[in-house]
Amino acid sequence: MKVEGEKRYAVLLAARDSEYVKKVYGGYFNVFVDALGDEGDKWDLFRVIEGDFPEMDELCNYEGFVISGSPHDAYGHEYWVLQLCFLLQTLFAMQKKVLGICFGCQVLCRALGGKVAKSYSGWDIGVRKVRLSEDFYSYGLLSDDDGQDEIIPPALSIIECHQDEVWEVPVGAQILASSDKTGVEMFTFGDYILGIQGHPEYTKDILHNLIDRLLSDNSIERGFGEEAKLQLMEAEPDRKYWERICKGFLKAGWSQLQ
C-alpha cells in the first residue's frame, strides 16, 4: 500500500486495524499519514505484525520509519517481534531515522539494549501531562506552520494507553520527557532515534473506542474504564506540538527540530 510523492517513509504497523478505525479512518496507516505526512511525501505500509517487512536492499531508499503501538509485549518472543528488533538494530547501524510510538518506543528501547517491562502502577489510559526535560530544550526552537519560531511549552498533554513501559533507556540515550505515572515518556538516542510512550497520532474518539474494547474483553476494570472516558471528555491533547516534534525529527533532523 503506497501514497505517492517524493520523500519516502514507512509505517511499521504492529497492530491490526480495529473495525472502528477501518470504518472511520480507513486504517491506522491513514491515521499516521494524516498526522505526520506532508504534500510531496511517499508513505509505505508494512504490516510487521503479520510478518510483512521491508526488504533489506530497500531500506536505503527511506528517509525514516515509524513504529506503531501494539497490543503485544515489546519484551515478548514472538518471531515477528524478534524480527522487528533485528530490523531496528539494522536501521540504527544505517543511521536511519526511526520514530517509535508506545509499543514502538518500547521495542526500540529493547532492540538497542534498554529494559522494558510491565508498569508497577498498572495501566495508564487517558490524557496525561508530561514534563519536558532540559535536554529537550537543548535542541532549540521549533518553527510553526507559518515558519515562525515558537517555544514548546514545558508541559504537554498526550493520549496514553499502555500497561508496559521503559524501565531503563539504552546506554547513551537521553530521557526527554517524564510524567507522574511514567519515568520515560520520551527518549532519544543520537540523532536518529526518538521514542514516545504516548500516542501523538491518536484522536480522542480512537481512544474512546479502544477503552470500550478493553472493557468488553475484560482487560480493564469497568470503574477504571469509565473514569478514563470521563477524563477524556474534559482534557485535550496537545496534538499540534507533538506533531511538530515528530515531523521535525523525521524530516528536519534534531539540529533543526525546534
Side-chain angles (χ1 to χ4, degrees):
M1 184 176 183
K2 299 181 180 180
V3 178
E4 294 302 323
E6 297 178 355
K7 290 188 177 180
R8 194 172 177 186
Y9 302 90
V11 173
L12 307 176
L13 195 62
R16 293 181 172 85
D17 293 324
S18 70
E19 290 302 318
Y20 177 82
V21 169
K22 281 194 291 186
K23 179 180 178 180
V24 176
Y25 297 95
Y28 285 118
F29 174 70
N30 291 340
V31 174
F32 277 103
V33 175
D34 287 346
L36 304 180
D38 288 313
E39 186 176 355
D41 291 347
K42 177 180 180 180
W43 286 80
D44 296 347
L45 168 62
F46 296 95
R47 297 184 182 274
V48 294
I49 192 174
E50 298 174 2
D52 177 28
F53 283 79
E55 297 293 336
M56 287 295 172
D57 60 1
E58 287 286 314
L59 299 180
C60 59
N61 297 325
Y62 288 92
E63 297 283 331
F65 299 79
V66 180
I67 319 161
S68 77
S70 176
H72 292 259
D73 297 328
Y75 48 83
H77 296 286
E78 296 98 326
Y79 180 74
W80 72 269
V81 174
L82 299 178
Q83 189 176 1
L84 179 58
C85 287
F86 176 75
L87 172 61
L88 298 179
Q89 292 163 356
T90 301
L91 294 174
F92 181 68
M94 294 175 67
Q95 297 188 333
K96 288 292 182 179
K97 291 291 184 68
V98 184
L99 169 64
I101 303 299
C102 197
F103 164 90
C105 171
Q106 298 163 11
V107 79
L108 262 177
C109 180
R110 173 194 179 176
L112 301 179
K115 185 177 181 181
V116 179
K118 282 277 188 293
S119 169
Y120 283 123
S121 54
W123 281 94
D124 189 8
I125 302 177
V127 179
R128 182 164 295 279
K129 188 77 73 174
V130 307
R131 300 177 299 275
L132 303 179
S133 70
E134 291 184 6
D135 286 331
F136 176 85
Y137 287 99
S138 69
Y139 295 107
L141 293 172
L142 176 62
S143 296
D144 64 18
D145 293 337
D146 297 323
Q148 302 298 314
D149 286 340
E150 180 181 0
I151 296 175
I152 301 294
L156 296 176
S157 294
I158 191 168
I159 289 177
E160 305 265 9
C161 188
H162 63 98
Q163 61 176 334
D164 297 336
E165 64 182 16
V166 171
W167 280 16
E168 297 175 8
V169 297
V171 175
Q174 290 179 301
I175 298 174
L176 299 184
S178 60
S179 70
D180 293 338
K181 176 76 171 175
T182 303
V184 182
E185 291 281 4
M186 176 165 58
F187 79 92
T188 188
F189 195 178
D191 296 330
Y192 302 97
I193 300 296
L194 181 65
I196 299 176
Q197 179 56 67
H199 285 274
E201 84 286 8
Y202 266 18
T203 54
K204 290 171 65 172
D205 61 297
I206 291 176
L207 180 60
H208 193 283
N209 175 261
L210 180 51
I211 293 171
D212 283 340
R213 288 188 283 121
L214 291 171
L215 284 169
S216 68
D217 64 15
N218 296 314
S219 294
I220 58 176
E221 294 182 358
R222 180 151 301 278
F224 176 74
E226 296 301 334
E227 183 179 344
K229 288 196 287 186
L230 180 61
Q231 188 260 0
L232 186 60
M233 293 175 58
E234 300 171 346
E236 291 293 334
D238 292 309
R239 293 190 71 211
K240 72 170 186 175
Y241 288 119
W242 288 108
E243 288 178 7
R244 285 180 195 167
I245 291 169
C246 294
K247 290 167 74 170
F249 165 75
L250 283 171
K251 301 176 181 185
W254 280 104
S255 62
Q256 303 171 33
L257 172 59
Q258 297 182 48

